[in-house]
Amino acid sequence: MTTLPTSAVAERRSAASRLRARNILLTVITYLIALAFLFPLVWMILAAFKTEAQAFASPPVFWFTPTLENFQKALPAYFPALKNSLIAAIGSTLLAFVLGLPAAFALAVYPTRRAQGTLTWMLSTKMMPAVGVIVPLFLLFRNLHLLDTLTGLILMYTTMNLPLVVWMMHSYMSEIPFAIYEAAKVDGASVGQEFFRIALPLSMPGISATALLALIFAWNEVFFAINLTSSDAAPLSVFIGSFKTSEGLFWAQMSAAATLTVLPVLIFGWIAQRQLVRGLSFGAVK
Protein backbone atom coordinates (compact mmCIF):
# COMPACT_ATOMS: atom_id res chain seq x y z
CA MET A 1 0.00 0.00 0.00
CA THR A 2 1.42 3.35 -1.11
CA THR A 3 1.45 6.16 1.44
CA LEU A 4 1.11 9.72 0.15
CA PRO A 5 3.74 12.21 1.26
CA THR A 6 2.75 14.58 4.02
CA SER A 7 2.96 17.55 1.64
CA ALA A 8 0.56 15.88 -0.81
CA VAL A 9 -1.95 15.15 1.96
CA ALA A 10 -1.74 18.74 3.19
CA GLU A 11 -2.22 20.04 -0.35
CA ARG A 12 -5.31 17.89 -0.81
CA ARG A 13 -6.76 19.07 2.47
CA SER A 14 -6.03 22.66 1.51
CA ALA A 15 -7.72 22.20 -1.88
CA ALA A 16 -10.75 20.59 -0.19
CA SER A 17 -10.95 23.48 2.28
CA ARG A 18 -10.78 26.04 -0.53
CA LEU A 19 -13.49 24.19 -2.46
CA ARG A 20 -15.70 24.03 0.63
CA ALA A 21 -15.17 27.75 1.32
CA ARG A 22 -15.99 28.61 -2.29
CA ASN A 23 -19.19 26.54 -2.18
CA ILE A 24 -20.25 28.24 1.05
CA LEU A 25 -19.52 31.66 -0.45
CA LEU A 26 -21.51 30.85 -3.60
CA THR A 27 -24.41 29.59 -1.49
CA VAL A 28 -24.45 32.77 0.59
CA ILE A 29 -24.32 34.95 -2.54
CA THR A 30 -27.17 32.94 -4.09
CA TYR A 31 -29.34 33.42 -1.02
CA LEU A 32 -28.56 37.15 -0.93
CA ILE A 33 -29.51 37.55 -4.59
CA ALA A 34 -32.72 35.56 -4.03
CA LEU A 35 -33.50 37.73 -1.00
CA ALA A 36 -32.95 40.90 -3.04
CA PHE A 37 -35.44 39.68 -5.66
CA LEU A 38 -37.99 38.43 -3.14
CA PHE A 39 -37.83 41.37 -0.72
CA PRO A 40 -40.18 43.68 -2.71
CA LEU A 41 -42.72 40.86 -2.99
CA VAL A 42 -42.51 40.06 0.73
CA TRP A 43 -42.75 43.75 1.64
CA MET A 44 -45.84 44.13 -0.58
CA ILE A 45 -47.53 41.15 1.09
CA LEU A 46 -46.72 42.54 4.55
CA ALA A 47 -48.13 45.95 3.59
CA ALA A 48 -51.35 44.28 2.48
CA PHE A 49 -52.02 43.22 6.09
CA LYS A 50 -51.28 46.66 7.58
CA THR A 51 -53.49 49.68 8.07
CA GLU A 52 -52.95 52.68 5.81
CA ALA A 53 -51.17 54.52 8.63
CA GLN A 54 -48.84 51.58 9.27
CA ALA A 55 -48.11 51.16 5.57
CA PHE A 56 -47.04 54.83 5.30
CA ALA A 57 -45.21 54.93 8.64
CA SER A 58 -41.60 56.10 8.72
CA PRO A 59 -39.57 54.36 10.03
CA PRO A 60 -41.34 51.22 8.76
CA VAL A 61 -43.49 49.17 11.12
CA PHE A 62 -42.29 45.58 11.36
CA TRP A 63 -44.41 44.40 14.29
CA PHE A 64 -48.14 44.89 13.80
CA THR A 65 -51.50 43.18 14.18
CA PRO A 66 -52.55 41.81 10.77
CA THR A 67 -55.86 42.99 9.35
CA LEU A 68 -57.98 41.73 6.43
CA GLU A 69 -59.73 45.06 5.93
CA ASN A 70 -57.72 45.88 2.81
CA PHE A 71 -58.66 42.58 1.15
CA GLN A 72 -62.32 43.12 2.02
CA LYS A 73 -62.22 46.51 0.26
CA ALA A 74 -60.35 45.16 -2.75
CA LEU A 75 -62.34 41.96 -3.38
CA PRO A 76 -65.56 43.48 -4.82
CA ALA A 77 -63.71 44.95 -7.81
CA TYR A 78 -61.19 42.10 -7.99
CA PHE A 79 -63.31 39.36 -9.54
CA PRO A 80 -64.51 41.30 -12.63
CA ALA A 81 -60.90 42.37 -13.29
CA LEU A 82 -59.73 38.78 -12.71
CA LYS A 83 -62.24 37.53 -15.29
CA ASN A 84 -61.01 40.10 -17.82
CA SER A 85 -57.36 39.19 -17.18
CA LEU A 86 -58.04 35.47 -17.54
CA ILE A 87 -59.96 35.94 -20.79
CA ALA A 88 -57.38 38.34 -22.25
CA ALA A 89 -54.32 36.31 -21.20
CA ILE A 90 -55.65 32.87 -22.17
CA GLY A 91 -57.39 34.11 -25.32
CA SER A 92 -54.34 36.00 -26.58
CA THR A 93 -52.05 33.06 -25.82
CA LEU A 94 -54.27 30.62 -27.72
CA LEU A 95 -54.56 33.00 -30.69
CA ALA A 96 -50.81 33.63 -30.69
CA PHE A 97 -50.21 29.87 -30.85
CA VAL A 98 -52.79 29.38 -33.60
CA LEU A 99 -50.94 31.96 -35.70
CA GLY A 100 -47.39 31.37 -34.46
CA LEU A 101 -47.06 27.58 -34.53
CA PRO A 102 -47.60 27.17 -38.30
CA ALA A 103 -45.28 30.13 -38.93
CA ALA A 104 -42.56 28.67 -36.70
CA PHE A 105 -42.95 25.26 -38.36
CA ALA A 106 -42.65 26.74 -41.86
CA LEU A 107 -39.60 28.83 -40.94
CA ALA A 108 -37.89 25.90 -39.20
CA VAL A 109 -38.68 22.99 -41.53
CA TYR A 110 -39.23 24.71 -44.89
CA PRO A 111 -37.06 27.85 -44.66
CA THR A 112 -36.62 30.18 -47.61
CA ARG A 113 -33.77 32.59 -48.19
CA ARG A 114 -35.84 35.28 -46.46
CA ALA A 115 -36.56 33.18 -43.36
CA GLN A 116 -33.83 34.68 -41.20
CA GLY A 117 -34.75 38.18 -42.28
CA THR A 118 -38.39 37.50 -41.37
CA LEU A 119 -37.39 36.29 -37.91
CA THR A 120 -35.17 39.32 -37.37
CA TRP A 121 -37.96 41.67 -38.46
CA MET A 122 -40.42 40.01 -36.07
CA LEU A 123 -37.94 40.35 -33.22
CA SER A 124 -37.31 44.00 -34.08
CA THR A 125 -40.97 44.81 -33.45
CA LYS A 126 -40.37 43.98 -29.77
CA MET A 127 -37.71 46.71 -29.63
CA MET A 128 -40.12 49.48 -30.56
CA PRO A 129 -41.11 51.58 -27.51
CA ALA A 130 -44.79 51.17 -26.72
CA VAL A 131 -45.23 54.89 -26.15
CA GLY A 132 -44.21 55.49 -29.77
CA VAL A 133 -47.19 53.57 -31.18
CA ILE A 134 -49.91 54.23 -28.61
CA VAL A 135 -51.43 57.23 -30.45
CA PRO A 136 -51.99 55.46 -33.81
CA LEU A 137 -53.14 52.35 -31.94
CA PHE A 138 -55.60 54.38 -29.90
CA LEU A 139 -57.02 55.99 -33.06
CA LEU A 140 -57.21 52.63 -34.82
CA PHE A 141 -58.99 51.00 -31.87
CA ARG A 142 -61.39 53.97 -31.63
CA ASN A 143 -62.30 53.78 -35.31
CA LEU A 144 -62.82 50.01 -35.10
CA HIS A 145 -64.84 50.35 -31.86
CA LEU A 146 -62.36 48.18 -29.98
CA LEU A 147 -61.64 50.55 -27.09
CA ASP A 148 -62.46 49.04 -23.69
CA THR A 149 -63.34 45.66 -25.20
CA LEU A 150 -61.90 42.22 -24.48
CA THR A 151 -61.63 41.61 -28.23
CA GLY A 152 -59.33 44.59 -28.61
CA LEU A 153 -57.27 43.56 -25.58
CA ILE A 154 -56.88 40.01 -26.91
CA LEU A 155 -55.77 41.30 -30.32
CA MET A 156 -53.29 43.69 -28.67
CA TYR A 157 -51.76 41.00 -26.48
CA THR A 158 -51.65 38.59 -29.42
CA THR A 159 -49.55 40.97 -31.51
CA MET A 160 -47.38 41.60 -28.46
CA ASN A 161 -46.67 37.88 -27.85
CA LEU A 162 -46.63 36.62 -31.45
CA PRO A 163 -42.89 37.33 -32.02
CA LEU A 164 -42.08 35.51 -28.75
CA VAL A 165 -44.10 32.45 -29.81
CA VAL A 166 -42.60 32.32 -33.30
CA TRP A 167 -39.01 32.77 -32.13
CA MET A 168 -39.17 30.25 -29.29
CA MET A 169 -41.11 27.62 -31.21
CA HIS A 170 -38.81 28.07 -34.21
CA SER A 171 -35.90 27.28 -31.90
CA TYR A 172 -37.59 24.16 -30.52
CA MET A 173 -38.75 22.85 -33.90
CA SER A 174 -35.31 23.40 -35.39
CA GLU A 175 -33.94 20.91 -32.85
CA ILE A 176 -36.12 18.08 -34.18
CA PRO A 177 -33.93 15.85 -36.42
CA PHE A 178 -34.82 16.44 -40.06
CA ALA A 179 -34.46 12.69 -40.68
CA ILE A 180 -37.80 12.20 -38.91
CA TYR A 181 -39.52 14.43 -41.47
CA GLU A 182 -37.77 12.64 -44.32
CA ALA A 183 -38.92 9.26 -43.00
CA ALA A 184 -42.47 10.60 -42.75
CA LYS A 185 -42.33 11.83 -46.36
CA VAL A 186 -41.19 8.39 -47.50
CA ASP A 187 -44.26 6.96 -45.77
CA GLY A 188 -46.44 9.42 -47.68
CA ALA A 189 -47.08 11.99 -44.94
CA SER A 190 -48.38 15.38 -46.02
CA VAL A 191 -47.15 18.70 -44.67
CA GLY A 192 -50.16 18.87 -42.38
CA GLN A 193 -49.43 15.41 -41.00
CA GLU A 194 -45.81 16.38 -40.40
CA PHE A 195 -47.01 19.39 -38.46
CA PHE A 196 -49.71 17.70 -36.36
CA ARG A 197 -48.17 14.25 -35.88
CA ILE A 198 -44.45 15.07 -35.65
CA ALA A 199 -43.68 18.71 -34.93
CA LEU A 200 -46.38 19.36 -32.32
CA PRO A 201 -45.95 16.18 -30.21
CA LEU A 202 -42.16 16.47 -30.18
CA SER A 203 -42.34 20.18 -29.28
CA MET A 204 -44.69 19.81 -26.29
CA PRO A 205 -42.05 20.80 -23.68
CA GLY A 206 -41.31 23.93 -25.69
CA ILE A 207 -45.00 24.66 -26.15
CA SER A 208 -45.56 24.43 -22.38
CA ALA A 209 -42.69 26.80 -21.60
CA THR A 210 -43.66 29.28 -24.32
CA ALA A 211 -47.31 29.24 -23.26
CA LEU A 212 -46.37 29.97 -19.65
CA LEU A 213 -44.17 32.90 -20.68
CA ALA A 214 -46.85 34.30 -23.00
CA LEU A 215 -49.44 34.03 -20.21
CA ILE A 216 -47.16 35.83 -17.76
CA PHE A 217 -46.36 38.64 -20.24
CA ALA A 218 -50.05 39.15 -21.03
CA TRP A 219 -50.97 38.98 -17.33
CA ASN A 220 -48.36 41.57 -16.34
CA GLU A 221 -48.91 44.01 -19.22
CA VAL A 222 -49.83 47.48 -17.97
CA PHE A 223 -49.22 50.21 -20.55
CA PHE A 224 -51.65 49.12 -23.29
CA ALA A 225 -54.25 48.00 -20.74
CA ILE A 226 -54.32 51.43 -19.07
CA ASN A 227 -54.52 53.33 -22.36
CA LEU A 228 -56.93 51.06 -24.27
CA THR A 229 -59.37 50.07 -21.50
CA SER A 230 -61.23 51.91 -18.77
CA SER A 231 -63.94 49.87 -17.06
CA ASP A 232 -65.68 47.11 -19.00
CA ALA A 233 -62.51 45.30 -20.14
CA ALA A 234 -60.11 46.58 -17.47
CA PRO A 235 -57.75 43.79 -16.37
CA LEU A 236 -56.02 43.41 -13.03
CA SER A 237 -53.20 45.81 -13.94
CA VAL A 238 -55.78 48.61 -14.28
CA PHE A 239 -57.52 47.39 -11.13
CA ILE A 240 -54.30 47.90 -9.13
CA GLY A 241 -53.89 51.45 -10.45
CA SER A 242 -57.44 52.35 -9.37
CA PHE A 243 -56.24 52.71 -5.76
CA LYS A 244 -54.37 55.89 -6.68
CA THR A 245 -57.10 58.51 -6.71
CA SER A 246 -57.54 62.25 -6.28
CA GLU A 247 -57.92 61.58 -2.56
CA GLY A 248 -54.43 60.10 -2.39
CA LEU A 249 -52.58 56.82 -2.66
CA PHE A 250 -54.13 53.98 -0.67
CA TRP A 251 -50.91 52.04 -0.26
CA ALA A 252 -52.22 49.19 1.91
CA GLN A 253 -55.24 48.58 -0.30
CA MET A 254 -53.05 48.70 -3.40
CA SER A 255 -50.72 46.16 -1.82
CA ALA A 256 -53.68 43.88 -1.11
CA ALA A 257 -54.85 44.24 -4.72
CA ALA A 258 -51.34 43.52 -6.02
CA THR A 259 -51.05 40.47 -3.75
CA LEU A 260 -54.32 39.11 -5.11
CA THR A 261 -53.09 39.82 -8.65
CA VAL A 262 -49.76 38.01 -8.43
CA LEU A 263 -51.15 35.07 -6.45
CA PRO A 264 -52.58 33.11 -9.44
CA VAL A 265 -49.35 33.50 -11.43
CA LEU A 266 -47.20 32.46 -8.47
CA ILE A 267 -49.28 29.36 -7.86
CA PHE A 268 -49.39 28.38 -11.53
CA GLY A 269 -45.68 29.09 -11.99
CA TRP A 270 -44.80 27.00 -8.94
CA ILE A 271 -46.86 24.08 -10.24
CA ALA A 272 -45.45 24.34 -13.77
CA GLN A 273 -41.82 25.09 -12.89
CA ARG A 274 -40.57 21.65 -13.93
CA GLN A 275 -42.23 21.96 -17.32
CA LEU A 276 -40.83 25.47 -17.68
CA VAL A 277 -37.25 24.42 -16.94
CA ARG A 278 -37.57 21.38 -19.18
CA GLY A 279 -39.02 23.45 -22.00
CA LEU A 280 -36.44 26.23 -21.75
CA SER A 281 -33.59 23.72 -21.84
CA PHE A 282 -35.17 21.67 -24.66
CA GLY A 283 -34.29 24.17 -27.36
CA ALA A 284 -30.87 25.01 -25.96
CA VAL A 285 -29.19 21.58 -25.98
CA LYS A 286 -28.73 19.41 -29.04
Side-chain angles (χ1 to χ4, degrees):
M1 183 175 180
T2 305
T3 303
L4 292 174
T6 306
S7 58
V9 174
E11 185 177 348
R12 284 193 174 185
R13 289 179 177 174
S14 176
S17 299
R18 288 196 300 269
L19 180 61
R20 186 161 50 250
R22 186 183 66 177
N23 290 338
I24 293 174
L25 179 61
L26 289 176
T27 301
V28 172
I29 293 175
T30 302
Y31 277 111
L32 289 175
I33 293 174
L35 181 62
F37 277 99
L38 289 175
F39 178 77
L41 180 63
V42 173
W43 191 256
M44 176 189 73
I45 295 174
L46 289 176
F49 292 95
K50 297 179 180 180
T51 64
E52 292 294 339
Q54 291 171 338
F56 269 107
S58 181
V61 177
F62 293 98
W63 302 104
F64 58 93
T65 302
T67 176
L68 296 177
E69 181 183 358
N70 300 313
F71 291 95
Q72 293 171 353
K73 293 181 179 178
L75 279 176
Y78 171 73
F79 290 106
L82 175 64
K83 181 196 72 172
N84 292 338
S85 284
L86 287 173
I87 294 174
I90 296 174
S92 62
T93 300
L94 291 175
L95 185 56
F97 270 90
V98 169
L99 299 174
L101 283 174
F105 173 77
L107 291 169
V109 182
Y110 297 98
T112 64
R113 59 188 180 91
R114 293 187 176 89
Q116 191 59 44
T118 302
L119 287 168
T120 304
W121 172 78
M122 294 190 71
L123 185 63
S124 68
T125 61
K126 298 290 291 181
M127 303 176 188
M128 181 180 297
V131 70
V133 297
I134 188 59
V135 173
L137 277 175
F138 182 87
L139 296 176
L140 181 64
F141 272 53
R142 185 193 63 183
N143 294 337
L144 295 176
H145 306 288
L146 292 175
L147 286 177
D148 201 21
T149 64
L150 286 172
T151 302
L153 204 58
I154 289 173
L155 291 175
M156 188 67 252
Y157 289 172
T158 299
T159 57
M160 180 184 71
N161 282 329
L162 190 58
L164 170 75
V165 172
V166 173
W167 259 91
M168 291 192 66
M169 293 314 305
H170 171 269
S171 174
Y172 297 129
M173 291 182 178
S174 297
E175 297 297 326
I176 300 174
F178 196 73
I180 298 179
Y181 296 112
E182 292 179 339
K185 290 177 183 178
V186 171
D187 291 337
S190 64
V191 176
Q193 289 173 326
E194 291 177 5
F195 176 67
F196 287 105
R197 296 187 179 182
I198 298 176
L200 289 187
L202 294 179
S203 300
M204 283 309 298
I207 291 175
S208 301
T210 306
L212 182 58
L213 290 176
L215 279 169
I216 291 174
F217 288 155
W219 190 273
N220 292 339
E221 202 283 322
V222 177
F223 183 77
F224 291 118
I226 289 178
N227 286 281
L228 299 178
T229 66
S230 57
S231 57
D232 294 339
L236 287 170
S237 52
V238 177
F239 160 70
I240 295 174
S242 66
F243 291 93
K244 183 179 180 180
T245 67
S246 58
E247 298 178 3
L249 174 62
F250 296 89
W251 187 256
Q253 294 179 34
M254 181 181 287
S255 298
T259 300
L260 292 171
T261 299
V262 301
L263 194 60
V265 177
L266 287 177
I267 295 174
F268 184 70
W270 182 265
I271 295 173
Q273 61 179 328
R274 288 188 178 180
Q275 281 293 107
L276 178 61
V277 173
R278 182 185 174 196
L280 291 176
S281 61
F282 176 74
V285 180
K286 290 189 177 182

